[in-house]
Amino acid sequence: ATKFIMPALGGGLLRLDRYSQLGISAADIVKNIAGNPWLIFKTIFVAEKLRYFIWLFLPVAFLPFFSGRAFILLIPGLLENFLTNFESQFSSFYQYDSVLIPGIFFATIYGFKNLLEKWPKKERVIIWILAAAIFTGYFVRSPINPVFFPTGVFKSNPRSESLRQIVKMVPADASVTAQTNLVPHLAQREQIYMLGTEPFPTDIVLIDGADLSGFANDEVFQAYADHYINSGNYDFKVLNNRYFILYKKGLKLQR
């Protein structure tokens, strides 16, 4: 997958660094785990991942663990999120659980079925336990529960307004390099890259001076921006003393 399929589609294995405590390459990781299984224990059995485990399965009353073979669907995703040291992957608040959610519900159905077959007279008890778990998970943990509904997401703010303005200025046929949060909004083009990953100087480079995503520190970030600015090949605009729009000389921005 990583040597042929992903490169053929223009991608690659980008985030192996999130497993760096196990090794610097796929071969190293396999070798280190085989030679020192204690690495797995030290990586998985920490307080943050225990909380993640509880909130992952509590809302379905841990029924997937009674599902039998259906639980196999969860193993790849569990390994992916429990073996990393990248905290967002085991926070339950981001997209990293998407690899698990279908399998969790599938295994929950089979777990429920298996328990009913084993204890048919306990159907009402099992249903009430599941209902209580769903209720608890929703009102305590869900990011869209009535108590903590994120109304702020739907309100305008200076940052979102600036980013909307920047997106409107980019020509539809221009190649673009942009910060991670802008990339999805500019993806309707053949060539678009995140800052620092572009294989060639693109027509437009969009830099949020307050966002270091993808860069080790301020010095590396500044050196990256200076490389473009000092090349002499780009004009640039600055919005709100924070957002830099670098565009090749002769290229016209949209209004």
Side-chain angles (χ1 to χ4, degrees):
T2 59
K3 295 296 184 181
F4 299 101
I5 298 174
M6 292 169 71
L9 297 174
L13 186 61
L14 301 177
R15 303 319 319 227
L16 205 59
D17 57 300
R18 294 179 178 177
Y19 303 86
S20 59
Q21 81 284 358
L22 301 175
I24 60 174
S25 68
D28 279 339
I29 290 174
V30 173
K31 179 181 176 182
N32 291 338
I33 290 175
N36 184 13
W38 180 249
L39 283 173
I40 296 287
F41 185 88
K42 290 195 300 183
T43 299
I44 293 177
F45 291 97
V46 295
E48 294 83 0
K49 290 178 182 175
L50 177 60
R51 286 194 291 269
Y52 174 60
F53 172 82
I54 292 172
W55 286 116
L56 197 61
F57 292 104
L58 178 61
V60 290
F62 296 93
L63 287 177
F65 291 94
F66 302 93
S67 64
R69 289 178 297 175
F71 193 82
I72 294 173
L73 294 172
L74 295 173
I75 293 176
L78 290 174
L79 291 175
E80 181 178 335
N81 290 346
F82 276 90
L83 291 179
T84 182
N85 276 343
F86 182 62
E87 293 183 0
S88 294
Q89 265 184 254
F90 47 89
S91 67
S92 292
F93 283 112
Y94 299 100
Q95 74 274 14
Y96 304 103
D97 286 349
S98 61
V99 69
L100 288 165
I101 290 171
I104 285 176
F105 284 112
F106 190 80
T108 296
I109 292 168
Y110 273 85
F112 185 73
K113 172 180 177 291
N114 291 342
L115 287 183
L116 290 184
E117 290 177 351
K118 188 173 183 178
W119 295 305
K121 295 182 180 180
K122 300 291 185 180
E123 177 178 353
R124 182 170 294 182
V125 174
I126 297 171
I127 290 174
W128 275 108
I129 290 174
L130 179 58
I134 293 171
F135 181 89
T136 301
Y138 177 62
F139 281 94
V140 176
R141 188 68 172 176
S142 173
I144 58 170
N145 69 64
V147 180
F148 302 108
F149 192 85
T151 55
V153 172
F154 301 95
K155 296 178 181 178
S156 182
N157 59 69
R159 181 173 182 268
S160 62
E161 289 300 322
S162 296
L163 295 180
R164 287 191 185 97
Q165 183 179 351
I166 290 170
V167 169
K168 291 179 181 178
M169 296 170 68
V170 179
D173 57 349
S175 59
V176 177
T177 301
Q179 229 108 14
T180 178
N181 290 327
L182 271 176
V183 168
H185 301 278
L186 294 162
Q188 68 280 17
R189 62 195 68 244
E190 182 177 351
Q191 295 171 324
I192 182 162
Y193 308 92
M194 287 194 294
L195 291 184
T197 69
E198 66 274 26
F200 59 89
T202 53
D203 297 331
I204 293 179
V205 181
L206 305 176
I207 298 175
D208 178 352
D211 187 347
L212 287 177
S213 298
F215 296 89
N217 52 52
D218 287 318
E219 290 74 20
V220 175
F221 190 26
Q222 187 64 53
Y224 172 84
D226 289 343
H227 173 74
Y228 273 103
I229 293 172
N230 297 331
S231 69
N233 298 323
Y234 290 82
D235 293 319
F236 67 91
K237 293 181 179 291
V238 182
L239 296 180
N240 302 331
N241 294 317
R242 170 174 173 174
Y243 304 97
F244 295 81
I245 307 170
L246 285 72
Y247 54 101
K248 283 188 175 179
K249 292 183 181 295
L251 183 70
K252 292 185 178 180
L253 299 177
Q254 303 277 74
R255 293 186 177 182

